[in-house]
Amino acid sequence: MFLTTVKKSSALLLLMVSIVSFGQEKHLKNIKQLTFGGDNAEAYFSPKGDKLTLQVTNKAFGVSCDQIFMLDLQAKEFNEKSLQLVSTGKGRTTCSYYMPDGKHILYASTHAADHACPAPPKPIDGKYLWAIYPEFDIYIADLKGNITKQLTDSPGYDAEAVVSPDGKKIAFTSIRSGDLELYTMDIDGSNLKQITSGLGYDGGCFFSHDSKKLVFRSSRPKTAEAIKEYKDLLAQNLVAPSEMEIYTCNIDGSNLKQITNLGKANWAPFFHPSDQKIIFSSNHHSTRGYDFQLFMIDLNGENLEQITYQSEFNAFPMFSPDGKKLVFSSNRMQSKPRETNVFIADWIEGDAAELAQPSTLKRHISYLASDELQGRLTGSSGEKRAADYIAKEFKTLGLKPYANNSYFQTFNYKVKLNPHATDGSGDKANNGTNVIAFLDNKAAKTIVIGAHYDHLGLNEHNHSTKPNSQGEIHNGADDNASGVAGVLELARMYAQNKTKEPVNYIFALFSGEEDGLIGSKHMAESLKTYHPNVVTMINMDMIGRLDKDKSLVVGGVGTAADFTAIVNKNKPAGFNVTLDNTGQGPSDHTSFYLKDIPVLYFFTGTHNDYHKPSDDEEKINYYGVRNIVDYVFRVANEVATLDTLTFTKTAMNSEKVVPKYKVTLGIMPDYSDHGDGLHIDGVTDNRPAHAAGIVAGDVLVKIGDCEIKEVYSYMDCLAKLSTGDVKEVKVLREGKPMTFTVKF
């Protein structure tokens, strides 16, 4: 990124966004709502796929706690009269499943102990809890609600029963060993076997389609504190379902494998029809509040993919026996708060080539940010090796050279080595090379996707933020090996997928960015000569350091009327996206904006390693890079579908004039508006903040009597100060107020 945190902050129009439109649910087509009102969940297909059983709580039906209902999918319409009660209507029920004949169902119920609904659990210390009702036993009933057999009668919890596709086995969860474990029995209830034995709540299991494996979710506490909490709650017939991961094992319990390692609650798993993937519900991504989305993952724990985007609760997915439908529960389209309904959709299989691969991203970043390339300074041998690497990748992908039968576009310029000289003294002649490829889809319009691959080298051009760092390698893993890796991965995705998009793509890697956007300016000057039909330029500069709040800035949304809706619609789950209207900023998209081309700019923010030798590969957040690349892919795909895209000019700062100031605090601000002050991403050594004891992670709230809420009020406060002023600076550190005396 071109050196200037001040210019960057002054260019930002900060606008926190919320999703107001539907997500990009490409796997789900013809979504149909099947229930209307109440709490409807755990809907599972009959063997023929023509019916569902589900559990329902709906006081409008007189159902005050979960009962089992059946729904005929052959019905011409669906409404409150479509549901048929198939449990006793007494006690509480859970987890119904069809028997192999399709004429009977399996479910758990408390009705034998008490016809009344058992009391729901109350939170303890604010924690959400599930009740493990000891009165639950498992029954078989016909479709008229008559119980034909009781399968369990041991003391304690027996529930969550499912049937194998081959009709031979039943698997369920039981506490009969003293812990919540998985068991199997033959379809007639005989031959009982314990399958799992690890401490923790093993439950919610399902068979693979070949009936050879089980997938389930488990809490598996590890620390002494977590183990004690689990056991204490279990003694009260309670569990806290806040930490669960997905596991698989063979149906005899062998070959136990943990599939996810995501943190938080990962649950409700079901095998994909291929038995090589698992679909499940998760809130691992959530940073603020309650948000469960459906995800899919390979059996080896790779290729995690978000499936749902709409609403804040999506769970209980199940594929139809033929694999063509997916049924799930969601609070989308609710008519009242806390409503959950059942939905069914046609399942559309995806293209594996269209998923960003963390291993490929890591390969690119590891090489580009290695000491071997000596910081990729424009005009250096390291820049040439990086250019050769990029060109080789383009050639391997079968992409065409951009122009003149070459991937390389060279340019000459002068480097200003003395920033204080006004007469050109000390300027140095230099040259650089852009590396550009073209994917020709024979379309009438073209999208440019770009990033800069140069960095600071050994600080020969004096752009480092670390004092006296001449001779030290500035590897620039985030700035901007991360963006280059993103462009190369998008090039692979578009070159290798099965779709021929309605646009052409130019993949452009620029040099000379750190010296003033030199390479992108050079390309932009002649772009319309070669490609007069360019409709958008998408820039990725520093996408490698997603923070714990998953903060991402997307700039340029004001340069075309459609951009805001598209960016909102395709946002990754859990990301806190800040929109910047302006098309100008300290990165390469500016060069294209100035040629009246709509632009978008993706940026995870500065940090304490910005423009320092410490910006190294081991600090890259690959979860963030992968999700951002997938995000850009979705955004670019939707931009490609637009019939027209009209360029709109934006002001550098649309809402206020940026004040001039004579002092610096020496911090790197988080440009997202968190509402509680200015979050500090980094503190520059030997500057006022560092000298006073302010550290990265502090939240700046006041300088003297001047209150700070975000980056603009921070700049207002600085504008009132002069060199030598001494002020009390107040911050929040881990929520606690602290005051420092700062000499500016």
Side-chain angles (χ1 to χ4, degrees):
M1 172 159 291
F2 179 37
L3 177 65
T4 170
T5 53
V6 172
K7 288 183 181 178
K8 191 184 309 159
S9 61
S10 68
L12 285 178
L13 168 62
L14 298 177
L15 173 65
M16 294 306 296
V17 306
S18 60
I19 295 180
V20 295
S21 57
F22 295 169
Q24 183 73 357
E25 298 176 335
K26 64 181 181 181
H27 288 285
L28 308 178
K29 299 296 183 184
N30 301 320
I31 299 175
K32 183 185 295 184
Q33 186 171 345
L34 298 178
T35 64
F36 300 85
D39 191 0
N40 307 270
E42 299 202 50
Y44 303 125
F45 284 99
S46 64
K48 292 182 179 180
D50 58 346
K51 295 181 177 64
L52 296 174
T53 62
L54 63 151
Q55 62 191 42
V56 176
T57 296
N58 194 333
K59 292 183 179 179
F61 291 176
V63 180
S64 55
C65 66
D66 288 338
Q67 290 295 321
I68 306 302
F69 285 77
M70 184 176 68
L71 183 66
D72 185 355
L73 293 175
Q74 306 304 309
K76 293 182 179 179
E77 60 180 36
F78 299 96
N79 52 46
E80 66 277 2
K81 297 179 181 179
S82 303
L83 294 168
Q84 175 188 338
L85 180 67
V86 288
S87 59
T88 63
K90 302 170 184 177
R92 189 185 192 101
T93 66
T94 192
C95 304
S96 59
Y97 214 83
Y98 275 94
M99 295 296 283
D101 62 4
K103 298 178 181 179
H104 294 80
I105 60 166
L106 190 69
Y107 68 95
S109 177
T110 66
H111 73 270
D114 194 334
H115 288 183
C117 291
K122 295 181 179 179
I124 297 177
D125 297 329
K127 289 191 173 182
Y128 174 65
L129 301 171
W130 283 351
I132 307 300
Y133 296 112
E135 300 85 3
F136 268 134
D137 275 308
I138 301 172
Y139 300 86
I140 297 175
D142 63 25
L143 301 187
K144 294 183 179 179
N146 302 308
I147 292 176
T148 59
K149 189 172 185 177
Q150 182 173 345
L151 289 176
T152 65
D153 60 1
S154 66
Y157 183 82
D158 291 296
E160 305 174 35
V162 295
V163 178
S164 62
D166 65 9
K168 296 179 179 180
K169 293 284 184 182
I170 293 171
F172 65 103
T173 295
S174 176
I175 202 172
R176 61 188 65 202
S177 70
D179 191 19
L180 290 161
E181 308 287 4
L182 297 183
Y183 290 77
T184 62
M185 56 184 164
D186 290 347
I187 199 69
D188 61 2
S190 64
N191 195 23
L192 182 71
K193 290 184 178 180
Q194 183 174 340
I195 303 304
T196 61
S197 56
L199 181 70
Y201 182 6
D202 298 340
C205 73
F206 290 95
F207 288 91
S208 58
H209 293 80
D210 62 9
S211 301
K212 294 180 179 180
K213 287 184 175 290
L214 291 170
V215 62
F216 60 98
R217 44 113 179 111
S218 179
S219 59
R220 300 288 167 115
K222 297 292 192 300
T223 66
E225 181 182 3
I227 290 170
K228 182 180 185 303
E229 180 186 52
Y230 173 75
K231 289 182 175 179
D232 288 348
L233 287 174
L234 194 60
Q236 303 173 65
N237 297 309
L238 298 168
V239 292
S242 55
E243 297 288 338
M244 299 185 291
E245 300 289 351
I246 306 299
Y247 289 75
T248 61
C249 66
N250 294 335
I251 60 169
D252 62 0
S254 63
N255 199 27
L256 178 70
K257 291 183 179 179
Q258 183 175 340
I259 306 301
T260 64
N261 191 22
L262 298 172
K264 298 193 179 180
N266 305 277
W267 61 300
F270 198 86
F271 278 100
H272 178 269
S274 68
D275 282 341
Q276 300 303 306
K277 302 176 184 179
I278 296 163
I279 191 170
F280 64 101
S281 180
S282 177
N283 70 338
H284 75 274
H285 53 277
S286 178
T287 55
R288 299 177 184 175
Y290 177 83
D291 184 15
F292 284 91
Q293 302 296 336
L294 296 183
F295 290 82
M296 194 159 59
I297 195 168
D298 291 351
L299 283 185
N300 61 6
E302 296 179 357
N303 291 321
L304 181 69
E305 180 182 6
Q306 186 177 341
I307 303 300
T308 60
Y309 288 78
Q310 189 186 334
S311 81
E312 293 184 337
F313 182 80
N314 297 274
F316 306 114
M318 182 192 187
F319 287 100
S320 60
D322 63 6
K324 295 181 179 180
K325 300 279 187 181
L326 185 80
V327 67
F328 63 102
S329 298
S330 177
N331 63 12
R332 64 185 65 201
M333 298 170 64
Q334 57 183 310
S335 59
K336 295 178 182 178
R338 304 184 67 83
E339 219 175 60
T340 303
N341 285 297
V342 173
F343 295 80
I344 192 170
D346 296 334
W347 178 258
I348 307 300
E349 201 56 58
D351 184 346
E354 294 185 346
L355 292 177
Q357 299 297 315
S359 59
T360 309
L361 292 164
K362 183 175 178 62
R363 174 169 64 86
H364 294 322
I365 295 174
S366 295
Y367 176 72
L368 293 168
S370 66
D371 286 353
E372 177 185 343
L373 269 60
Q374 296 281 293
R376 310 185 308 279
L377 183 76
T378 305
S380 69
S381 60
E383 180 217 36
K384 184 179 186 306
R385 287 196 293 272
D388 289 342
Y389 176 87
I390 294 166
K392 183 179 178 181
E393 291 294 318
F394 285 157
K395 186 175 181 180
T396 300
L397 293 172
L399 298 174
K400 295 180 178 180
Y402 168 66
N404 301 322
N405 297 315
S406 175
Y407 295 115
F408 302 121
Q409 182 187 62
T410 59
F411 54 89
N412 300 303
Y413 69 108
K414 288 186 177 181
V415 182
K416 191 176 184 65
L417 297 180
N418 182 358
H420 303 293
T422 59
D423 59 358
S425 60
D427 288 4
K428 173 191 171 186
N430 201 26
N431 61 79
T433 304
N434 295 329
V435 192
I436 313 172
F438 182 57
L439 176 58
D440 189 358
N441 284 326
K442 310 297 182 184
K445 51 191 176 182
T446 299
I447 292 175
V448 177
I449 300 177
H452 75 90
Y453 73 94
D454 65 307
H455 196 52
L456 307 188
L458 307 181
N459 195 28
E460 295 96 327
H461 296 175
N462 302 315
H463 295 323
S464 179
T465 59
K466 180 183 178 183
N468 305 314
S469 60
Q470 278 74 13
E472 295 186 56
I473 300 174
H474 291 63
N475 281 322
D478 184 27
D479 188 11
N480 184 34
S482 64
V484 176
V487 173
L488 291 176
E489 185 63 352
L490 285 163
R492 180 199 63 77
M493 292 159 73
Y494 281 117
Q496 295 182 347
N497 68 355
K498 300 172 185 176
T499 302
K500 186 175 182 179
E501 290 80 17
V503 293
N504 311 309
Y505 291 96
I506 295 172
F507 302 102
L509 283 312
F510 311 110
S511 193
E513 192 268 0
E514 300 290 6
D515 289 332
L517 316 184
I518 308 298
S520 58
K521 288 177 184 176
H522 181 77
M523 179 188 174
E525 287 294 333
S526 60
L527 175 62
K528 291 187 177 180
T529 300
Y530 295 109
H531 297 280
N533 58 353
V534 170
V535 294
T536 301
M537 189 275 171
I538 299 176
N539 181 30
M540 289 178 285
D541 193 350
M542 296 176 64
I543 60 169
R545 297 289 284 271
L546 190 74
D547 64 18
K548 60 182 176 57
D549 295 321
K550 296 185 172 69
S551 302
L552 176 69
V553 174
V554 181
V557 297
T559 62
D562 299 283
F563 279 169
T564 296
I566 290 173
V567 168
N568 285 347
K569 177 178 179 179
N570 291 282
K571 184 176 79 76
F575 274 50
N576 296 306
V577 176
T578 298
L579 297 189
D580 170 12
N581 277 347
T582 60
Q584 298 182 68
S587 192
D588 291 304
H589 58 286
T590 298
S591 301
F592 297 87
Y593 169 81
L594 295 175
K595 297 298 180 183
D596 294 345
I597 295 171
V599 296
L600 287 170
Y601 163 51
F602 292 76
F603 169 55
T604 53
T606 54
H607 41 75
N608 202 38
D609 301 305
Y610 172 67
H611 276 200
K612 290 182 180 177
S614 52
D615 181 8
D616 286 323
E617 186 271 335
E618 64 267 18
K619 298 176 181 178
I620 294 295
N621 181 337
Y622 283 101
Y623 172 91
V625 179
R626 177 180 58 80
N627 273 277
I628 292 167
V629 172
D630 284 334
Y631 187 14
V632 173
F633 183 78
R634 293 191 299 273
V635 167
N637 284 347
E638 191 148 353
V639 171
T641 66
L642 299 175
D643 293 331
T644 58
L645 197 64
T646 303
F647 172 75
T648 304
K649 285 192 174 183
T650 60
M652 280 290 288
N653 46 86
S654 301
E655 290 190 339
K656 59 191 300 181
V657 175
V658 178
K660 295 181 179 179
Y661 44 89
K662 296 171 283 187
V663 300
T664 179
L665 185 56
I667 64 170
M668 296 174 188
D670 176 349
Y671 300 108
S672 302
D673 185 355
H674 294 278
D676 60 347
L678 179 71
H679 289 227
I680 299 174
D681 276 348
V683 176
T684 304
D685 294 343
N686 302 317
R687 294 291 181 91
H690 177 259
I694 296 170
V695 299
D698 287 348
V699 179
L700 182 62
V701 294
K702 187 177 278 191
I703 296 177
D705 295 327
C706 191
E707 292 188 1
I708 297 169
K709 297 181 180 179
E710 30 59 42
V711 68
Y712 280 122
S713 53
Y714 165 61
M715 288 165 16
D716 283 338
C717 293
L718 288 185
K720 299 173 183 177
L721 300 175
S722 299
T723 302
D725 284 352
V726 177
K727 295 288 182 180
E728 286 191 344
V729 174
K730 293 184 178 180
V731 304
L732 299 177
R733 182 172 295 173
E734 296 181 350
K736 296 180 180 179
M738 300 183 71
T739 301
F740 299 89
T741 301
V742 175
K743 182 177 181 179
F744 289 86

